[in-house]
Amino acid sequence: MTVAQLDAVPLEEAAHGIPLPQAPGGVSAVRRRVRQVLSGWNLPTEAAEDVLLVVSELVTNALVHARPPATLRLCRVPVQGRRAVRVEVTDQGAAAAPGPLSAPDPDEHGRGLGIVTALSARCGVLTHRGGTSRWAEVPAG
């Protein structure tokens, strides 16, 4: 019964915006808030963990590379006839040029976008007047 009620809520009403804190511990604070949202959406545990990992990667990239202020937006969307969670991080900067400016240490950096791509049905970058949005749509059951 709960799942039927959640599915009856229009997708637009299930959107959540979270400002990204520019402080130590920002990623873990955002993850805690996202976990609460996902719990309310009654996602399967594995799907929720995938969404949390994608959130961690996109938020970390924004806090390290983006021009503040940055925000995270979560919403439920249909993807290929199935439910998904769209994770979108928007900042005020322009999209970075393709390719690394310098070779990152492979033990420390450079795997995040590969993880996002592997866990997402679709992902990408959108440049607009307000800055740049990096997004991913993670299957959610």
Side-chain angles (χ1 to χ4, degrees):
M1 184 75 166
T2 302
V3 174
Q5 289 174 340
L6 286 173
D7 288 340
V9 175
L11 296 179
E12 298 80 26
E13 291 182 23
H16 292 271
I18 301 169
L20 301 185
Q22 295 288 321
V27 175
S28 61
V30 169
R31 279 179 59 94
R32 282 191 298 276
R33 288 194 58 192
V34 169
R35 188 178 299 277
Q36 291 173 341
V37 169
L38 299 178
S39 175
W41 287 350
N42 200 27
L43 293 183
T45 302
E46 186 175 319
E49 291 301 320
D50 287 350
V51 171
L52 284 167
L53 184 51
V54 168
V55 164
S56 292
E57 295 301 334
L58 292 180
V59 168
T60 297
N61 283 348
L63 293 177
V64 171
H65 301 290
R67 184 173 162 209
T71 57
L72 167 68
R73 183 173 181 272
L74 296 173
C75 61
R76 297 182 305 161
V77 296
V79 174
Q80 301 166 350
R82 299 181 66 197
R83 294 186 319 164
V85 174
R86 182 177 175 104
V87 178
E88 184 173 311
V89 176
T90 301
D91 67 80
Q92 303 303 306
L101 297 175
S102 62
D105 179 353
D107 292 334
E108 296 289 328
H109 304 285
R111 296 187 186 130
L113 294 180
I115 291 169
V116 170
T117 300
L119 293 176
S120 303
R122 301 185 304 190
C123 60
V125 177
L126 176 64
T127 303
H128 46 83
R129 283 186 173 207
T132 302
S133 297
R134 286 156 185 82
W135 59 272
E137 294 172 343
V138 182

